[in-house]
Every structure is written in C-alpha cells, then in structure tokens.
Amino acid sequence: MTKVRVGIAKCSSVEDSLKKAVELAGDLDFINQNQSVLLKPNANTADEHPGSTSPEFLKRSIRLIKQKTNRIIVGEKSMASLNTISVLKETGMYDAAINEGVEVLSFDDVEWKMINHKKLTAWPQGYSVPKILDEIDHYVHLCIAKTHWTATFTMALKGVIGLTKNEDRMQLPHGRHNNDELFGAMIAESNLARKPDFILMDATKIFVSGGPNSGALKEPGIVISTKDPIANDIVGLALLKSIGTVPKIQDKSVWRQPQIRRAIELNLGVKSPKEMDLRFYGVDLEDKIREHVDDLILK
C-alpha cells in the first residue's frame, strides 16, 4: 500500500519551513512546465495573520510553484459583505502576488457551475463553484491551522468553502445549537467539487481558541504539506491537541471530528493512521503529534 506523505517542518524561516515541508511531502513534480495552477489563499476577511494568509507565505508559495510553471492564478472569494480585491489589498496579498508577476482573480466576478453530486446529503439544493476549477490543470490550496468559533476548526477541508457562492454560504449553520454534524457534513461535501492537488498549511502562528479571525494565539512555527486534505487536517488537529486547545478538539480523537468522519465516508482521503507517512524535520512536538494521529479511540 502506498502511503500518503505528510511533510511537517520547522526551520529558522517561513521560507525554509515551506521548502522543507514540500520536499518531505514529495515535492511539486506533478506540475509540468506551462501547466496552469490556481493558488487559493485564505482571505475571507482582512484580519491579520493568522486571521488570513500572510503575504510572506503567499509570496514564498508562488516562488516554489514558479520553479515548475509561470502560469499561476491567485484566486479567492471573501465573505459576502466584503469586496475580495479590497481584502487582498488590505492584507498585502494583492501586492505580494502582483509583485511576483502572477494574475489575481476575484471570484466575485466569475462564471459559476452548480454542483449537484449524488452524494450531497447536507446540501439538498447543491452549491456553486467557479467554472475555472474545470479549466486549470492544478489546484493548490493555502490554508491555516486554527480553531473556528462555530465550525470547531478550519484547515484544508473547511477552506474549500471559500470556493462557494455567497448564497450557498448563507446555508451554513453558523451559531446554531448542536450544528456540529450538519456543519461537518457540509464542509466535507464542499470538497466534492474538486479536491486540491496539493495543500500548503501555515501553522507558524495559530489560534488555539476562538478563530477564525481572532483568538488565543500560539506560535508553533510549523508548516505542513501534503496532497491529502484528510491527512492534512488530521495532523493539524493533532498539533492543536499537542499544544492545548478547545475541549471540542482536546477531548476527542482527531478521527472522530464530524468533518473528518464525513470526508472519510466520501473517500476524500486517508481513512486511518496506517495510510499516512508522517515525515518530520526540526519539530519538537513530533512524539505528541504522532500519538494523537494514532489515537483511534472512538470517543
């Protein structure tokens, strides 16, 4: 059985941590010269990192991909009440992308396609995503490891909600009582439109409570990289548990989170620790992270 590699690195700089994590995860050799890449950061709001992707992380990610191809589009859709280009400019991501010579695309002004997958149980009316997902060769997802006030956590799986239309996001059960199962299912099912080909997750600074815009902050200094969204989020949850986080995460096996369970049902990635090949570099929390990843107790 071929295992999914996950690179987990901590170096003296974001640049070096990102390079090492990508190397450990198997590199970007799946991208061929002249192929197009959609690079999606986290710009739901203009809050300072880790509320949003840092311009430095975006810049370094662009430079890594440019070693393979120059056809890069940075695309994102901020929350319904905000103008995406304005958010990207306020966070510094717009200038970071333009200065690297790549295109910036706001999903505020694109053509959409409806997803009515037969496996959608939590989206009875379906949802829409940008048609560009059918047109680009590769989709690379930049996300941040952090807690979320109503979705419990937001990493690779949750980040894909950023590809949906405003009216679709209005269906999400934000703040409703006992919403974990429904919200988790909606998050997982949003990944049926198109899974990322590669994930780069910034865990250098993370919210361990509150989130996604503000909260209690810790700085593990880690970057995580993999091609598998479930594996990515499993390691991210294990990291949160290793440094101390909210009871909904701390007191539960990482494999029992609603987002994870529904994603496994949908065959979106790994189903157990046996399918994961964790590769660490410079991470002092390695033993704790491995312990939480291996915890399959159904509690």
Side-chain angles (χ1 to χ4, degrees):
M1 177 180 66
T2 302
K3 294 186 177 183
V4 171
R5 290 169 61 170
V6 184
I8 307 139
K10 181 179 181 179
C11 302
S12 58
S13 68
V14 171
E15 177 184 11
D16 289 342
S17 297
L18 184 59
K19 286 180 178 178
K20 192 63 179 179
V22 169
E23 175 190 322
L24 293 170
D27 233 321
L28 300 171
D29 291 339
F30 62 92
I31 302 174
N32 296 324
Q33 187 177 9
N34 294 323
Q35 286 189 321
S36 57
V37 175
L38 176 66
L39 186 59
K40 183 199 172 299
N42 181 329
N44 188 53
T45 64
D47 292 276
E48 184 179 357
H49 175 254
S52 301
T53 298
S54 75
E56 178 71 7
F57 195 82
L58 176 60
K59 178 176 72 174
R60 297 302 176 184
S61 299
I62 290 171
R63 290 185 180 181
L64 274 179
I65 296 170
K66 284 180 77 173
Q67 295 177 17
K68 304 297 181 181
T69 180
N70 288 317
R71 296 182 60 199
I72 303 170
I73 301 169
V74 172
E76 170 64 319
K77 173 79 179 72
S78 299
M79 65 184 296
S81 60
L82 300 176
N83 177 276
T84 301
I85 293 296
S86 296
V87 169
L88 290 169
K89 287 182 175 179
E90 188 173 344
T91 59
M93 281 187 264
Y94 184 88
D95 284 346
I98 294 297
N99 289 341
E100 293 300 317
V102 304
E103 180 183 349
V104 176
L105 176 65
S106 165
F107 298 150
D108 293 337
D109 306 300
V110 296
E111 290 187 68
W112 298 83
K113 71 165 189 174
M114 174 64 74
I115 303 297
N116 274 317
H117 199 287
K118 63 182 180 181
K119 293 183 178 179
L120 293 181
T121 60
W123 296 87
Q125 299 174 6
Y127 58 85
S128 295
V129 295
K131 287 183 67 177
I132 193 174
L133 289 179
D134 290 336
E135 300 163 3
I136 46 98
D137 294 305
H138 301 293
Y139 163 35
V140 177
H141 184 41
L142 305 189
C143 57
I144 306 165
K146 54 185 175 178
T147 53
H148 191 288
W149 75 279
T150 180
T152 306
F153 66 96
T154 174
M155 299 179 195
L157 291 169
K158 171 68 169 64
V160 176
I161 293 291
L163 294 173
T164 59
K165 260 186 171 182
N166 290 337
E167 48 265 44
D168 299 325
R169 299 185 199 188
M170 298 300 291
Q171 299 179 56
L172 298 171
H174 285 296
R176 297 180 199 167
H177 184 59
N178 293 329
N179 66 15
D180 292 356
E181 294 297 325
L182 174 60
F183 211 159
M186 295 180 81
I187 288 167
E189 291 176 14
S190 70
N191 286 261
L192 289 170
R194 175 164 180 171
K195 286 172 52 181
D197 297 287
F198 211 74
I199 299 156
L200 305 172
M201 185 159 74
D202 187 348
T204 55
K205 297 181 181 180
I206 64 179
F207 295 132
V208 295
S209 66
N213 304 335
S214 63
L217 183 69
K218 290 191 179 180
E219 301 188 26
I222 291 171
V223 173
I224 298 166
S225 183
T226 185
K227 67 178 183 179
D228 188 301
I230 297 178
N232 179 88
D233 287 14
I234 288 292
V235 173
L237 286 165
L239 172 60
L240 281 171
K241 294 184 70 167
S242 296
I243 60 179
T245 187
V246 295
K248 277 190 174 183
I249 296 174
Q250 196 72 46
D251 299 339
K252 184 179 291 187
S253 165
V254 296
W255 297 93
R256 295 303 299 162
Q257 291 292 337
Q259 294 181 38
I260 300 295
R261 289 191 285 106
R262 182 60 179 141
I264 289 172
E265 292 173 355
L266 295 169
N267 295 313
L268 292 173
V270 298
K271 295 178 172 60
S272 78
K274 294 180 180 180
E275 299 178 29
M276 298 171 63
D277 178 7
L278 306 186
R279 302 193 175 194
F280 290 84
Y281 180 88
V283 178
D284 52 3
L285 294 168
E286 177 177 348
D287 290 344
K288 288 185 177 181
I289 291 172
R290 287 188 182 277
E291 178 183 348
H292 292 305
V293 169
D294 289 340
D295 178 14
L296 281 168
I297 297 174
L298 303 184
K299 62 180 180 180

